[in-house]
Amino acid sequence: MKKRTKFLATAALLLAGFYCVCLCRCELLTAVHGREFEGLDLNTGLLERSDSLKVLDYSGTEASIYYVGPGRSYGNVLRFSRDTRADPWNLDGWDTVWSKSGSADGLVWPYFR
């Protein structure tokens, strides 16, 4: 019984540690690159100005950004790309992850909702 308890405790700690690392990575990417993507959600022509954004993934030429709508009314992940670092970001696509209206009910890693 002690082995099982130790195993479960270790597994829980590893899972919590993995989640914390993912969350810290996302927060760091947002702090470093977040300003590049402020207002780009408006360029879609479909969305209102978002209350907040989080940079989920970033490379020099591709990025995934999580935008949360006014009053937490929706959550969208927008994918951007560009050819070189000097080029502007272009919208490649988006996924509506969740919505208060009930049209989407998904999760986004690592923020869930």
Side-chain angles (χ1 to χ4, degrees), residues 66-85:
Y66 176 50
Y67 289 96
V68 177
R72 299 185 52 85
S73 58
Y74 60 79
N76 292 302
V77 176
L78 278 63
R79 294 178 306 279
F80 296 96
S81 68
R82 62 183 177 184
D83 292 331
T84 66
R85 291 187 186 261

Side-chain angles (χ1 to χ4, degrees), residues 55-104:
V55 179
L56 300 176
D57 195 23
Y58 183 92
S59 72
T61 57
E62 295 179 346
S64 293
I65 313 300
Y66 176 50
Y67 289 96
V68 177
R72 299 185 52 85
S73 58
Y74 60 79
N76 292 302
V77 176
L78 278 63
R79 294 178 306 279
F80 296 96
S81 68
R82 62 183 177 184
D83 292 331
T84 66
R85 291 187 186 261
D87 291 339
W89 288 104
N90 299 309
L91 180 66
D92 277 347
W94 74 90
D95 295 311
T96 299
V97 181
W98 60 269
S99 173
K100 274 188 179 178
S101 67
S103 61

Side-chain angles (χ1 to χ4, degrees), residues 22-75:
C22 290
L23 197 59
C24 289
R25 177 182 179 271
C26 188
E27 290 297 326
L28 180 63
L29 286 173
T30 300
V32 173
H33 301 289
R35 287 200 174 273
E36 292 180 51
F37 300 97
E38 288 179 354
L40 289 184
D41 53 332
L42 298 174
N43 293 346
T44 65
L46 301 172
L47 303 175
E48 305 172 51
R49 178 170 293 283
S50 299
D51 282 348
S52 64
L53 67 86
K54 295 292 179 181
V55 179
L56 300 176
D57 195 23
Y58 183 92
S59 72
T61 57
E62 295 179 346
S64 293
I65 313 300
Y66 176 50
Y67 289 96
V68 177
R72 299 185 52 85
S73 58
Y74 60 79

